[in-house]
């Protein structure tokens, strides 16, 4: 039986500004990380792959949340930005023989530059018009550049990348611990995801993040109190795209094969679905959303294969149902959350936590 | 010495001339009031100073530097703090975050340090928090609401948060756009006291836009009267009080009053 | 020269359809400030309604189109009632995302029901040969021009002279004002969705007849975006001009530069125009730029 203090009294401002409000949370965070560390031993190879995908999605979602959640700039180009990172990483590994600790940051930085470039319209336009500009970026990159710039991307035929080793040296990326096994890539993805989450939280609670949120809430007033709106908007594009680029690099290593369609508009929408169903503007929400959206297809497949398939009439082409569900699932998640729980999984989590705290004796 | 010089500025929106050839000076340390009927251009004047509107003619200089060439976020870094007539607070954020945003220009640690909070950023955040608590929250009596989202607070408190945010900038000149408008009597008295405290103890030059003549007469060093975008007069409260044009602008046109009584006779 | 003439005329025909569909955008945008990302899905769905009633049910065209119209209206009412109404007053992000979500739901439905294969729209419009010089124009293009222009004119008359049209304009100009006059603003929202979905039905039928029916018909939304951005989101003449310009340019580009740039250029090209317009004239040629105040 554990006793918790009835309240935590903060006696200085440093602790009030701190990240972990209670020792309980520190302890449970550490436990959670240990859990993640030993998890691979118990997972099937398929589940291992899903977990890796989930960590990678966390990086991307947390990144999109910086741009759309914090700064309020709606972007539908995240999928294409992830693609920029993926191709950069693949190219650095495969054609330039760069080690992983150069390729992944390079992917991030190049994508950040792309983000700044395609974010330039945000200097003059906002709202729906900016959304249009990001839509244009998405199509220009994924449907044109990736397809046509064959010498770098391999065009529609795709690009094959061998998984490098960790850490590797310039000239020989395969020196070190081999990552060919998913259980090793798991740890890389996990570490990157944890760093990404903490970086996003830190941004959110310091000067930069406050400026982002101010621009989201009221851009004119922000300028008048001394925030360089243009600079912070572009910074937000850069930072968010950096995350997207890192996410893309990890994806390239996880899949070992990339081609333009896997960075299409539906990927952008999937990431928007993550931050919306998680709860827009909150880092925890982005994480929860990434987890939810990663496991959603698994859940749907399970239900389909075990239940629905037997109920369908024999003349019906059930392949249609699969592709149909696949096409609509992100849209459905977005719509359902927006209507039923606009504050997303984050809100559900908070409600759950609050009621768990006082269980079994609620005050009412 | 003059803190702010406004020389012949004119501003129009389509056909509406919001400001016509307005000039006046604000001395260092002065509490300078701007009064005038609705639509006379008071807010437009403040917006021109803080760079949101750009007068097509004239010059606005602060400590000798022409503000009209500077983007508004740079103007803020020159020590121009302001409050707004209609709330421009970040409603979803807490009182504390609003005030921290007011201090934005004084945080020096950039994005890379911010990403890895522990270390320099943490030190800076803690120090700033301490200052904010001692200088602003304490002064404006906002302790009990510091973690509340601003949008959930009563109107009077929001006005105080607006002032707090402006003070967080450590302003050299403070532009207050109707800080006591729409408040009840008690809140007005508190707010006037805060403004006077800030003016006296912080050594700030204050430009105050206000409708309530009795308060303006009481507290200001100088008053500028605007009417239909033009400056009627400026001077000390005494000079203003007895000025015939001011009385006319505030009480209506004497001529038309005469013609009114004539038309009644006929 | 003949080739050019052919591309020009088919481009104009496509442009007329785009203009009509762009009007559907503008009608919703003006009334509700929602940019309907599901418009492409509605067009595709409209096409399938016709495909089903005409082809699968084999009904008389008049009956078939009426049935399709009823289905479209029902869908529009459901959308307005259950998706948009709960979000009134919510952020731009919510409003945009709900229509994006709706678009992919419609697409998923279509795939689940019809699969992804292309299917031919039954031919119910009388065929006739039109040739200009030695250029032969398939009659569906002529029909496209005729049907679209009739509907565009009808819409114009509706907004100009009918009671309801005038009320709708009032709502778009000044919503609080309209509310205080006792206008039921939410009925007007529903009606603008109905109008847009009927427009989409007509467009879906024409486009499905020009090419083939398939769920990917919904990508027509992209040239439409370019059209409305060129025109300005809230301008009806802008939508017409934008639609025509994009239709003609798209066919010319595909016709002349197709080999050079690859098929994907046809999809990307409207976006290049869109970006160009956004850079030079952010609020389009005719759109209004709302000045912000403090
Ligand atoms: N952004 C704008 N666009 C068009 N007209 C404007 C704009 N801002 C101000 N005006 C006009 O300029 C004139 C002066 O307005 P301003 O807001 O400066 O008056 P004010 O003295 O602050 O009035 P109040 O006492 O009502 O606050 C008014 O006629 C107003 O309608
Ligand atoms: Mg005013």
């Amino acid at each position: 039986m554990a006793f918790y203090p009835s309240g935590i009294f903060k006696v200085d401002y440093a602790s009030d500004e701190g990240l972990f409000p209670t020792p309980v949370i520190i302890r449970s965070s550490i436990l959670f990380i240990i859990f993640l560390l030993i998890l691979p031993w118990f997972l099937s190879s398929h589940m291992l792959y899903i977990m890796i995908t989930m960590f990678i999605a966390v990086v991307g979602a947390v990144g999109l949340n910086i741009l759309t959640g914090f700064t309020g700039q709606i972007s539908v180009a995240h999928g294409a930005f992830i693609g920029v990172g993926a191709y950069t990483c693949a190219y650095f590994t495969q054609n330039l023989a760069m080690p992983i600790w150069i390729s992944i940051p390079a992917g991030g930085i190049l994508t950040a530059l792309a983000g700044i470039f395609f974010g330039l319209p945000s200097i003059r336009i906002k709202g729906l018009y900016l959304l249009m500009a990001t839509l244009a970026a998405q199509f220009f990159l994924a449907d044109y550049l990736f397809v046509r710039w064959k010498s770098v991307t391999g065009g529609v035929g795709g690009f094959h990348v061998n998984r490098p080793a960790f850490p590797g040296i310039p000239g020989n990326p395969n020196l070190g611990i081999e990552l060919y096994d998913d259980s090793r890539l798991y740890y890389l993805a996990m570490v990157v995801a944890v760093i990404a989450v903490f970086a996003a939280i830190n941004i959110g609670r310091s000067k930069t993040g406050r400026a982002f949120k101010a621009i989201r809430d009221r851009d004119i007033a922000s300028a008048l109190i001394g925030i360089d709106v243009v600079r912070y908007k572009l910074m937000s594009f850069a930072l968010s795209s950096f995350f997207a680029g890192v996410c893309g690099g990890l994806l390239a290593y996880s899949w070992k094969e990339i081609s333009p369609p896997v960075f299409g508009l539906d990927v952008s929408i999937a990431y928007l679905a993550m931050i919306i169903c998680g709860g827009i503007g909150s880092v925890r929400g982005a994480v929860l959303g990434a987890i939810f959206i990663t496991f959603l297809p698994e859940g749907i497949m399970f239900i389909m294969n075990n239940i629905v398939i037997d109920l369908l009439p024999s003349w019906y082409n059930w392949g249609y149902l699969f592709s149909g569900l696949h096409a609509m699932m992100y849209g459905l998640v977005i719509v359902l959350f927006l209507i039923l729980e606009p504050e997303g999984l984050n809100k559900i989590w908070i409600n759950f936590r609050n009621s768990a705290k006082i269980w079994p004796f609620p005050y009412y | 010495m003059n803190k702010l010089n406004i020389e012949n500025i004119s501003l129009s929106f389509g056909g509406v001339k919001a400001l016509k050839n307005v000039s006046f000076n604000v001395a260092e340390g002065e509490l300078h009031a701007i009064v005038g009927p609705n639509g006379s251009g008071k807010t437009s004047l403040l917006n021109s100073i803080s760079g949101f509107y750009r007068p097509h003619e004239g010059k606005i200089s602060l400590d000798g530097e022409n503000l009209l060439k500077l983007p508004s976020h740079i103007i803020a870094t020159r020590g121009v703090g302001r409050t707004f007539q209609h709330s421009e607070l970040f409603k979803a954020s807490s009182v504390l975050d609003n005030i921290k945003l007011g201090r934005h220009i004084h945080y020096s640690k950039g994005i890379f340090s911010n990403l890895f909070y522990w270390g320099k950023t943490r030190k800076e955040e803690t120090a700033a928090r301490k200052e904010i608590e001692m200088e602003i929250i304490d002064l404006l009596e906002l302790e009990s609401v510091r973690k509340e989202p601003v949008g959930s607070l009563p109107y009077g408190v929001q006005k105080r948060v607006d002032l707090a945010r402006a003070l967080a900038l450590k302003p050299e000149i403070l532009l207050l756009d109707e800080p006591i408008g729409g408040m009840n009597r008690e809140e007005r008295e508190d707010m006037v006291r805060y403004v006077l405290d800030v003016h006296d103890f912080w050594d700030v030059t204050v430009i105050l836009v206000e409708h309530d003549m009795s308060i303006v007469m009481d507290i200001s060093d100088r008053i500028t009267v605007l009417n239909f975008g033009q400056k009627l007069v400026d001077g000390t409260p005494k000079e203003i009080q007895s000025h015939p044009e001011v009385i006319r602008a505030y009480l209506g046109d004497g001529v038309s009053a005469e013609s009114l009584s004539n038309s009644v006779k006929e | 020269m003949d080739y050019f003439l052919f591309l020009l005329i088919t481009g104009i025909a496509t442009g007329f359809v785009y203009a009509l569909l762009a009007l559907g955008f503008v009608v919703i945008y003006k009334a509700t400030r929602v940019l309907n990302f599901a418009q492409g899905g509605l067009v595709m769905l409209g096409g399938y309604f016709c495909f089903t009633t005409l082809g699968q049910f084999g009904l008389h065209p008049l009956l078939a189109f009426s049935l399709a119209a009823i289905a479209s209206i029902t869908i529009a009412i459901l959308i307005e009632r259950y998706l948009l109404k709960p979000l009134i007053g919510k952020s731009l992000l919510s409003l945009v995302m709900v229509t994006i979500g709706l678009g992919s739901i419609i697409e998923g439905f279509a795939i689940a029901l019809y699969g992804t294969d292309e299917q031919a729209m039954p031919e119910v419009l009388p065929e006739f040969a039109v040739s200009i010089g030695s250029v032969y124009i398939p009659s569906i293009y002529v029909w496209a021009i005729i049907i679209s222009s009739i509907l565009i004119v009808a819409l114009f008359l509706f907004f100009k002279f009918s009671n309801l049209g005038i009320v709708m304009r009032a709502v778009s100009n000044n919503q609080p004002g309209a509310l205080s006059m006792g206008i039921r603003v939410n009925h007007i929202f529903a009606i603008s969705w109905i109008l847009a979905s009927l427009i989409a039905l007509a467009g879906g039928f024409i486009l499905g007849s020009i090419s083939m029916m398939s769920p990917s018909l919904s990508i027509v939304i992209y040239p439409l975006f370019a059209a409305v951005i060129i025109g300005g989101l809230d301008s009806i003449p802008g939508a017409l001009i934008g639609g025509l310009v994009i239709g003609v340019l798209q066919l010319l580009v595909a016709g002349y530069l197709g080999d050079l740039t690859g098929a994907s250029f046809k999809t990307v090209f409207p976006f290049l125009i869109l970006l160009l317009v956004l850079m030079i004239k952010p609020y389009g040629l005719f759109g209004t730029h709302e000045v912000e105040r403090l």
Side-chain angles (χ1 to χ4, degrees):
Chain A
M1 183 81 208
F3 292 94
Y4 299 130
S6 62
I8 302 290
F9 301 102
K10 292 167 195 156
V11 290
D12 56 16
Y13 296 127
S15 62
D16 198 31
E17 295 283 318
L19 190 54
F20 301 104
T22 62
V24 180
I25 292 191
I26 299 187
R27 248 177 282 153
S28 39
S29 305
I30 293 174
L31 279 181
F32 183 63
I33 295 212
I34 292 175
F35 165 75
L36 286 180
L37 284 174
I38 56 175
L39 192 60
W41 281 302
F42 306 100
L43 293 180
S44 67
S45 67
H46 178 67
M47 278 314 284
L48 199 59
Y49 168 74
I50 299 292
M51 284 299 286
I52 294 175
T53 311
M54 181 195 89
F55 286 132
I56 299 176
V58 165
V59 178
V62 158
L64 182 60
N65 184 56
I66 290 177
L67 181 62
T68 302
F70 285 175
T71 322
Q73 314 292 304
I74 309 172
S75 163
V76 285
H78 211 61
F81 287 149
I82 290 172
V84 173
Y87 280 114
T88 310
C89 268
Y91 191 84
F92 267 65
T93 308
Q94 214 61 22
N95 297 28
L96 305 179
M98 284 299 162
I100 201 163
W101 50 271
I102 291 185
S103 340
I104 288 185
I109 290 170
L110 209 82
T111 313
L113 292 178
I116 293 177
F117 179 76
F118 287 105
L120 284 177
S122 71
I123 297 173
R124 286 186 68 192
I125 53 180
K126 53 187 173 188
L128 285 173
Y129 289 89
L130 180 64
L131 176 62
M132 286 291 157
T134 63
L135 192 64
Q138 167 68 42
F139 274 91
F140 175 73
L141 290 170
D143 287 57
Y144 194 67
L145 197 69
F146 296 169
V147 176
R148 302 291 300 178
W149 198 8
K150 290 204 181 91
S151 58
V152 171
T153 65
V156 281
F159 191 121
H160 179 82
V161 51
N162 294 316
R163 264 188 214 172
F166 182 84
I169 53 165
N172 185 2
N174 300 316
L175 203 73
I177 311 165
E178 302 274 357
L179 295 176
Y180 59 80
D181 189 0
D182 266 355
S183 67
R184 298 197 182 150
L185 190 65
Y186 173 96
Y187 290 108
L188 179 70
M190 175 190 147
V191 169
V192 174
V194 169
I195 294 176
V197 168
F198 275 108
I201 294 174
N202 287 339
I203 281 293
R205 63 195 178 129
S206 47
K207 173 191 182 180
T208 313
R210 281 194 299 268
F212 287 166
K213 291 176 199 165
I215 291 171
R216 172 192 66 194
D217 290 348
R218 202 75 179 98
D219 52 350
I220 302 170
S222 311
L224 294 192
I225 61 173
I227 295 170
D228 186 344
V229 173
V230 167
R231 194 172 141 216
Y232 277 90
K233 271 187 186 172
L234 293 182
M235 219 143 92
S236 179
F237 267 100
L239 197 59
S240 150
S241 313
F242 183 89
F243 281 59
V246 172
C247 159
L250 291 174
L251 270 187
Y253 296 138
S254 164
W255 290 340
K256 294 181 247 177
E257 190 77 47
I258 50 176
S259 60
V262 297
F263 305 114
L265 182 64
D266 49 337
V267 179
S268 299
I269 294 178
Y271 276 90
L272 282 164
M274 290 179 202
I275 62 172
I276 285 172
C277 81
I280 193 91
S282 113
V283 178
R284 190 200 290 126
V287 174
L288 292 175
I291 297 171
F292 181 75
I293 294 290
T294 309
F295 281 92
L296 183 69
E298 300 299 308
I300 290 180
M301 279 308 238
F302 182 82
I303 295 174
M304 295 302 289
N305 284 330
N306 291 289
I307 303 168
V308 178
I309 221 165
D310 302 326
L311 306 176
L312 291 175
S314 55
W315 51 263
Y316 181 74
N317 181 347
W318 56 266
Y320 287 1
L321 190 61
F322 277 99
S323 348
L325 270 176
H326 198 81
M328 74 161 78
M329 70 186 164
Y330 302 132
L332 203 58
V333 168
I334 290 173
V335 168
L336 288 179
F337 270 96
L338 282 177
I339 307 263
L340 302 177
E341 183 49 278
E343 288 174 69
L345 295 168
N346 186 36
K347 181 70 182 298
I348 296 175
W349 167 270
I350 291 173
N351 288 345
F352 168 75
R353 198 184 55 193
N354 289 349
S355 58
K357 251 186 201 162
I358 52 174
W359 189 85
F361 301 118
Y363 298 140
Y364 46 88
Chain B
M1 198 207 133
N2 283 337
K3 182 80 186 160
L4 184 76
N5 293 312
I6 293 180
E7 290 166 41
N8 282 317
I9 58 167
S10 300
L11 173 71
S12 52
F13 301 99
V16 182
K17 290 209 160 61
L19 294 172
K20 278 176 270 182
N21 268 322
V22 176
S23 315
F24 64 94
N25 299 324
V26 180
E28 180 96 56
E30 192 171 71
L31 199 163
H32 193 115
I34 296 174
V35 298
N38 288 113
S40 57
K42 305 180 295 294
T43 301
S44 302
L45 183 65
L46 293 197
N47 285 343
S48 305
I49 298 173
S50 46
F52 179 58
Y53 291 160
R54 298 286 167 180
H56 350 276
E57 279 166 42
K59 207 171 146 193
I60 300 178
S61 42
L62 181 75
D63 293 324
E65 182 184 22
N66 189 358
L67 294 185
L68 290 188
K69 294 207 166 64
L70 303 177
S72 39
H73 68 271
I74 300 286
I75 293 179
T77 65
R78 299 292 190 266
V80 179
R82 72 171 288 184
T83 68
F84 299 88
Q85 180 172 5
H86 308 289
S87 173
E88 293 288 336
L89 290 163
F90 307 109
K91 296 249 165 64
S93 304
S94 69
V95 170
L96 207 49
D97 275 347
N98 271 273
I99 302 177
K100 285 177 180 170
L101 274 163
R103 177 144 317 215
H104 177 84
I105 60 170
H106 297 290
Y107 286 85
S108 60
K109 296 288 165 275
I111 183 166
F112 294 107
S113 168
N114 287 175
L115 280 168
F116 309 99
Y117 189 89
W118 304 280
K120 289 183 180 151
T121 293
R122 183 200 178 105
K123 217 177 269 167
E124 182 178 64
E125 290 283 336
T126 317
R129 170 76 189 277
K130 210 167 185 169
E131 279 177 28
I132 287 172
E133 290 282 346
M134 307 219 285
E135 292 168 12
I136 297 166
I137 302 229
D138 207 34
L139 175 76
L140 299 183
E141 296 165 278
L142 288 168
E143 295 88 347
S144 58
V145 292
R146 55 160 90 80
K147 297 254 166 107
E148 305 289 323
V150 168
S152 69
L153 298 173
Y155 178 79
V157 183
Q158 290 198 21
K159 281 268 180 193
R160 245 192 288 158
V161 178
D162 197 7
L163 178 62
R165 185 177 69 179
L167 291 180
L169 186 121
K170 303 184 187 169
E172 290 177 25
I173 182 164
L174 190 55
L175 317 178
L176 304 175
D177 198 349
E178 306 200 13
I180 59 176
M183 287 182 157
N184 64 33
R185 212 183 121 155
E186 199 178 328
E187 289 170 331
R188 278 165 174 254
E189 282 170 1
D190 282 345
M191 186 57 101
V192 168
R193 184 163 50 79
Y194 297 139
V195 171
L196 287 177
D197 279 354
V198 169
H199 179 238
D200 293 344
F201 300 124
W202 285 38
D203 240 1
V204 242
T205 311
V206 177
I207 298 185
L208 171 72
V209 169
E210 191 41 65
H211 274 298
D212 188 326
M213 276 309 256
S214 62
I215 292 182
V216 167
M217 290 293 175
D218 260 6
I219 65 174
S220 31
D221 302 318
R222 282 184 80 82
I223 299 175
T224 297
V225 185
L226 291 182
N227 195 22
F228 292 114
Q230 275 172 315
K231 183 179 84 172
L232 273 186
V233 280
D234 62 9
T236 60
K238 264 227 173 66
E239 290 165 5
I240 297 295
Q241 211 160 15
S242 49
H243 204 285
E245 291 223 49
V246 178
I247 296 168
R248 186 138 49 99
Y250 265 80
L251 300 180
D253 209 324
V255 182
S256 66
E258 241 171 52
S259 55
L260 186 76
S261 56
N262 283 343
S263 64
V264 171
K265 270 179 220 156
E266 280 168 12
Chain C
M1 189 59 212
D2 283 355
Y3 186 50
F4 175 76
L5 208 62
F6 176 77
L7 289 177
L8 186 69
I9 293 170
T10 51
I12 290 175
T14 315
F16 264 94
V17 183
Y18 284 177
L20 173 66
L21 290 174
L23 270 185
F25 259 124
V26 175
V27 166
I28 290 185
Y29 183 78
K30 277 177 88 84
T32 63
R33 300 284 131 176
V34 171
L35 184 64
N36 180 16
F37 276 75
Q39 181 81 350
L42 288 177
V43 170
M44 181 261 290
L45 199 63
Y48 271 120
F49 284 156
C50 300
F51 174 80
T52 304
T53 51
L54 286 169
Q56 295 182 315
F57 298 173
L59 299 176
H60 182 272
L62 221 56
L63 191 58
F65 286 127
S66 318
L67 214 58
I70 292 173
S72 289
I73 292 174
T74 314
I75 295 280
I77 293 175
L78 291 178
I79 291 174
E80 203 281 329
R81 178 75 188 73
Y82 292 104
L83 298 188
L84 274 307
K85 211 176 202 178
L87 294 180
I88 285 177
K90 290 284 173 59
S91 67
L92 177 70
L93 179 75
S94 314
L95 290 175
V96 169
M97 288 314 300
V98 85
T99 64
I100 291 182
L102 175 63
S104 61
I105 293 175
I106 292 177
E107 190 154 342
F109 257 112
I111 294 174
L113 288 178
Y114 299 96
T116 48
D117 294 339
E118 294 194 331
Q119 283 158 304
M121 181 74 82
E123 289 171 18
V124 290
L125 297 172
E127 294 257 357
F128 49 86
V130 182
S131 13
I132 301 173
S134 55
V135 186
Y136 168 78
I137 308 290
S139 59
I140 184 64
Y141 287 104
V142 183
W143 278 116
I145 297 181
I146 295 173
I147 298 176
S148 304
S149 38
I150 289 177
L151 289 178
I152 289 171
V153 171
L155 270 173
F156 258 112
L157 296 178
F158 170 77
F159 279 118
K160 195 94 196 155
F161 298 113
S162 83
N163 233 336
L164 191 56
I166 292 168
V167 167
M168 288 181 76
R169 269 161 46 207
V171 169
S172 112
N173 277 339
N174 182 349
Q175 202 167 301
L179 260 176
S180 69
M181 301 286 292
I183 293 172
R184 297 234 189 132
V185 170
N186 45 3
H187 285 194
I188 299 302
F189 290 176
I191 288 166
S192 58
W193 275 90
I194 290 174
L195 276 181
S197 78
L198 288 176
I199 290 173
L201 176 68
F205 172 69
I206 302 172
L207 291 178
S209 307
I210 290 181
S211 58
M212 296 278 246
M213 269 321 297
S214 82
S216 63
L217 195 64
S218 58
I219 60 168
V220 66
I221 191 150
Y222 303 125
L224 290 185
F225 279 148
V228 288
I229 290 287
I230 290 182
L233 281 179
D234 55 358
S235 158
I236 287 183
L240 297 182
I241 294 173
L244 265 174
V245 169
I246 288 293
V248 172
L249 282 182
Q250 200 182 20
L251 284 212
L252 286 180
V253 164
Y256 282 109
L257 304 177
D259 300 336
L260 208 68
T261 52
S264 61
F265 195 66
K266 198 180 169 193
T267 349
V268 175
F269 156 79
F271 284 106
L272 295 182
I273 295 195
L274 192 155
L275 268 184
L276 206 70
V277 175
L278 284 179
M279 296 284 187
I280 301 166
K281 224 170 168 328
Y283 297 91
L285 300 177
F286 304 95
T288 43
H289 173 30
E290 277 164 28
V291 187
E292 284 161 295
R293 286 195 181 206
L294 274 180

